[in-house]
Amino acid sequence: RELILTLAVQGKLVPQDPADEPAGELLKKIRAEKDRLIAEGKIRRDKPLAAIAEGEKPLGLPVGWEWVRLGALLPFRIGKTPPSKDPQYWADSGHAWVSISDMNHFGEVFETGRKITDRGAGVFGYDLLPSGTLIMSFKLTIGKISVLRVPAYHNEAIVSFTPLSGLDSGFLKYMLPTVAKTGASKDALMGATLNTESLSNLVIALPPHSEQSRIVTRVEMLMRLCDALEAKGRLEAAQ
């Protein structure tokens, strides 16, 4: 499975199509969309990031691909935790609040162990994240990724990504965990951790939009094959 994902993010899993609009043009459209969202007050202005040095590029890219930093590609938010022992922030029924234990890697989040009140929601300063939002752990456990299937907030060990047109959410789901593990992490008491700066500086190989979709189709087919092989192996072992 690791090999499948590694090949996917290196452009070695599916052939390139010269007719695809190159990723350089996609980045121009993303920049224009981000500028519009900033002007509308929906996302914050991103901080200037250093140009990607040659030493940061681990391999040559296929034709039509581009190197880009995560902070320039995709807006993201870090979560929060309201005072954990104050009952005015927590309730048995309320807004879903995601912790890492609620997440299944490459899975979906339908239910959370804890919920917050309207007062608890007030500490975030933004609205509930909509169903379909991609979230990923970046502290203690790096690269655990899930899709929200319920509007929710999340804690400070999780980052959520604002989708932009031209970025296939399935491609991001398979690409981000692999890329996150290449970041400069620090040791924490219970595991490794990234921070806002190291997340922003992650270097990503971005394919054209059409190729993103082809990669997702191929990855999912190969993952189903892995599932079938594992099930066959368990059956043979039992027999």
Side-chain angles (χ1 to χ4, degrees):
R1 293 175 188 276
E2 287 293 327
L3 176 61
I4 291 167
L5 296 175
T6 298
L7 294 175
V9 301
Q10 292 179 354
K12 298 177 180 179
L13 201 60
V14 300
Q16 281 69 51
D17 184 343
D20 287 344
E21 182 180 69
E25 294 302 311
L26 173 58
L27 287 174
K28 293 177 184 178
K29 295 176 181 178
I30 288 172
R31 181 69 263 174
E33 184 176 0
K34 287 177 71 177
D35 287 342
R36 177 180 60 78
L37 292 172
I38 291 167
E40 294 173 357
K42 294 181 178 178
I43 62 172
R44 294 180 179 179
R45 183 170 298 280
D46 41 350
K47 296 180 180 179
L49 297 169
I52 299 172
E54 287 301 316
E56 295 181 272
K57 302 174 183 178
L59 69 157
L61 290 183
V63 174
W65 288 49
E66 292 284 344
W67 290 109
V68 60
R69 293 198 189 277
L70 177 62
L73 178 67
L74 198 59
F76 60 83
R77 281 195 175 104
I78 309 299
K80 296 180 181 179
T81 299
S84 59
K85 295 183 180 180
D86 191 332
Q88 64 182 327
Y89 294 106
W90 303 93
D92 292 334
S93 61
H95 307 295
W97 176 83
V98 183
S99 65
I100 294 176
S101 62
D102 296 313
M103 299 170 64
N104 294 309
H105 192 35
F106 293 127
E108 299 172 311
V109 177
F110 291 92
E111 185 60 51
T112 59
R114 301 190 74 184
K115 295 181 173 61
I116 57 176
T117 62
D118 288 340
R119 180 183 284 271
V123 309
F124 289 87
Y126 54 83
D127 294 334
L128 275 166
L129 300 170
S131 177
T133 298
L134 200 61
I135 59 174
M136 183 181 76
S137 63
F138 70 101
K139 291 182 178 180
L140 309 182
T141 301
I142 294 178
K144 189 176 185 180
I145 199 159
S146 297
V147 179
L148 290 180
R149 291 304 177 204
V150 59
Y153 295 102
H154 57 80
N155 72 11
E156 66 279 2
I158 297 171
V159 58
S160 51
F161 300 97
T162 302
L164 298 175
S165 56
L167 294 176
D168 187 295
S169 60
F171 174 75
L172 294 173
K173 181 179 73 174
Y174 291 122
M175 174 270 291
L176 287 169
T178 302
V179 172
K181 291 172 184 175
T182 68
S185 63
K186 297 180 179 179
D187 290 332
L189 184 60
M190 298 178 66
T193 180
L194 300 173
N195 56 31
T196 303
E197 181 180 358
S198 53
L199 280 169
S200 293
N201 281 295
L202 289 173
V203 176
I204 292 168
L206 181 69
H209 179 252
S210 297
E211 188 170 346
Q212 293 174 38
S213 300
R214 295 197 299 274
I215 289 171
V216 170
T217 299
R218 182 69 171 164
V219 166
E220 291 181 345
M221 185 273 287
L222 291 172
M223 290 299 184
R224 288 194 297 271
L225 177 59
C226 287
D227 291 340
L229 290 171
E230 288 173 356
K232 183 173 182 289
R234 287 194 296 270
L235 177 61
E236 289 175 348
Q239 289 173 338

